[in-house]
Amino acid sequence: MENLSFKRSTPLTAGILLAVYFFRPPGDILYYLANFAAVIMIGLVYFSLGFRIMKMLGMEYEKTAAYPAAFGISFVVLGTLTFLAGILGMYGFFYPFFAAVAIMLICKRELLAIIEDMKKVFCCWDIYGKTAGQKVFSLFLFVPVVYAALCVIAPETYYDALVYHLGIPFRYMQEGRIIDVDGIVFSGFPQLASMNYLFVLLLSYELAVKLFNLAAAVMAVMIIAVSAKNAGGSARVSVLAAVTSVLFVLNVSRAGTEVFLILFAGLCLYHLIFSDRQKHSLYIACFFGGAAFAVKYTGIIIYVFAGLVVLFYVIKG
């Protein structure tokens, strides 16, 4: 199966290389390639660190839930480290590259395992599906996924992103530390998402931030799918319900905080509802609930839903 997938991908790769050679893409292509490469490296950093922390704490997940959990843990850890670096005035060349290289060296085993998982997905993934249901599923996914992808690679135009989510980190980078920017309320107490965006910006450019947001959306969809499956529902229907939601697609395509809020809300509820699948699940749920609040202040509403889940189990006995 793997050899067949590689044989299919070889002509496609060769065709892309020939097209690039003969049609001579504009110089901007280097900008896109640099951002894509940076996001791949940043993704490896986040996932490897998350898996190492999970291993140290004895946290075990099924594969579909493991990656969103690893991403969420690293999001909190690296966001906090970036905040501390800003307090110390370390927003320069040294901090982000040292942190990235150190993490990849320390988490070498986890890094290699992630690369192997990526190879398996690449080799065995059939984009069209085999059954009629899988083909219909792929068809419904096609339009919102293509739309989101096109919006992601386009320049950012969202007001909140330009002023807050990207504007504030850019000002921090100019000053080399966290400062209180006149006229911008959130600059004095940066959100967790802004700190992670800043970490990405220190290593790359604006497009990488939007691709990072897209990666978080994939993690959010994965935790939704695994939760639906464990609850006896359909993972495919839950995925379609998410990616065909207009608000979800809009927030995937821009640098904001809503996608991370969905991810952490999903992780929080996953650990509450399926508490028998993880040791100390209530503590972990509180951790991810706190992360949801740190990402977006309105995220405090997750505690209402979490409380309802806890109340249901108390009444149920």
Side-chain angles (χ1 to χ4, degrees):
M1 184 66 180
E2 293 186 6
N3 291 332
L4 181 61
S5 298
F6 273 119
K7 288 179 180 178
R8 288 178 178 176
S9 64
T10 300
L12 177 61
T13 305
I16 293 173
L17 292 175
L18 288 173
V20 170
Y21 178 78
F22 286 108
F23 291 100
R24 302 293 181 181
D28 288 346
I29 194 67
L30 296 177
Y31 169 78
Y32 290 100
L33 291 175
N35 279 273
F36 277 101
V39 166
I40 292 173
M41 184 198 72
I42 292 167
L44 292 173
V45 169
Y46 271 73
F47 287 122
S48 59
L49 176 61
F51 278 118
R52 170 53 68 95
I53 294 173
M54 286 161 54
K55 183 178 180 181
M56 291 171 59
L57 298 177
M59 300 166 64
E60 297 181 359
Y61 293 90
E62 51 195 307
K63 186 72 72 175
T64 312
Y67 275 89
F71 184 88
I73 291 171
S74 291
F75 190 89
V76 176
V77 172
L78 286 174
T80 304
L81 287 177
T82 304
F83 171 77
L84 295 174
I87 297 297
L88 299 174
M90 296 172 59
Y91 289 159
F93 176 85
F94 179 76
Y95 161 68
F97 284 94
F98 175 80
V101 172
I103 289 170
M104 287 192 287
L105 289 175
I106 294 171
C107 308
K108 181 181 177 181
R109 291 184 179 179
E110 289 75 16
L111 187 64
L112 294 175
I114 293 167
I115 293 173
E116 288 300 316
D117 285 343
M118 292 172 63
K119 287 181 180 178
K120 291 177 183 177
V121 171
F122 177 76
C123 292
C124 302
W125 184 32
D126 188 349
I127 189 172
Y128 301 107
K130 297 178 180 178
T131 66
Q134 291 174 341
K135 293 180 185 296
V136 172
F137 175 72
S138 299
L139 180 63
F140 274 97
L141 277 181
F142 180 77
V143 174
V145 168
V146 170
Y147 173 80
L150 291 174
C151 290
V152 165
I153 63 175
E156 185 61 79
T157 58
Y158 181 43
Y159 176 83
D160 281 2
L162 295 175
V163 176
Y164 299 111
H165 310 311
L166 293 176
I168 293 175
F170 271 122
R171 283 301 306 273
Y172 291 166
M173 290 171 60
Q174 290 176 343
E175 300 294 333
R177 62 185 300 113
I178 292 176
I179 61 169
D180 187 9
V181 182
D182 292 337
I184 302 181
V185 178
F186 297 105
S187 62
F189 43 100
Q191 297 170 313
L192 184 60
S194 296
M195 291 293 94
N196 281 272
Y197 282 161
L198 177 56
F199 183 79
V200 175
L201 286 170
L202 287 168
L203 293 169
S204 190
Y205 306 98
E206 173 200 329
L207 176 58
V209 171
K210 299 181 72 176
L211 292 169
F212 181 78
N213 187 69
L214 177 63
V218 174
M219 296 299 104
V221 170
M222 287 176 66
I223 199 64
I224 290 171
V226 72
S227 297
K229 181 180 179 181
N230 290 341
S234 170
R236 288 195 182 123
V237 171
S238 68
V239 170
L240 285 177
V243 301
T244 55
S245 168
V246 176
L247 287 176
F248 182 81
V249 175
L250 285 175
N251 285 296
V252 165
S253 61
R254 58 196 189 188
T257 58
E258 287 77 8
V259 167
F260 303 111
L261 181 59
I262 296 171
L263 171 62
F264 287 119
L267 287 168
C268 177
L269 294 176
Y270 172 86
H271 287 88
L272 284 176
I273 297 172
F274 309 108
S275 57
D276 58 326
R277 297 173 180 266
Q278 184 64 249
K279 295 180 180 179
H280 310 299
S281 60
L282 292 179
Y283 296 108
I284 301 172
C286 290
F287 172 80
F288 286 124
F293 179 55
V295 163
K296 192 177 180 69
Y297 304 117
T298 54
I300 196 170
I301 197 172
I302 188 60
Y303 290 103
V304 176
F305 294 104
L308 291 174
V309 172
V310 174
L311 181 61
F312 171 78
Y313 282 109
V314 170
I315 296 173
K316 185 178 179 181

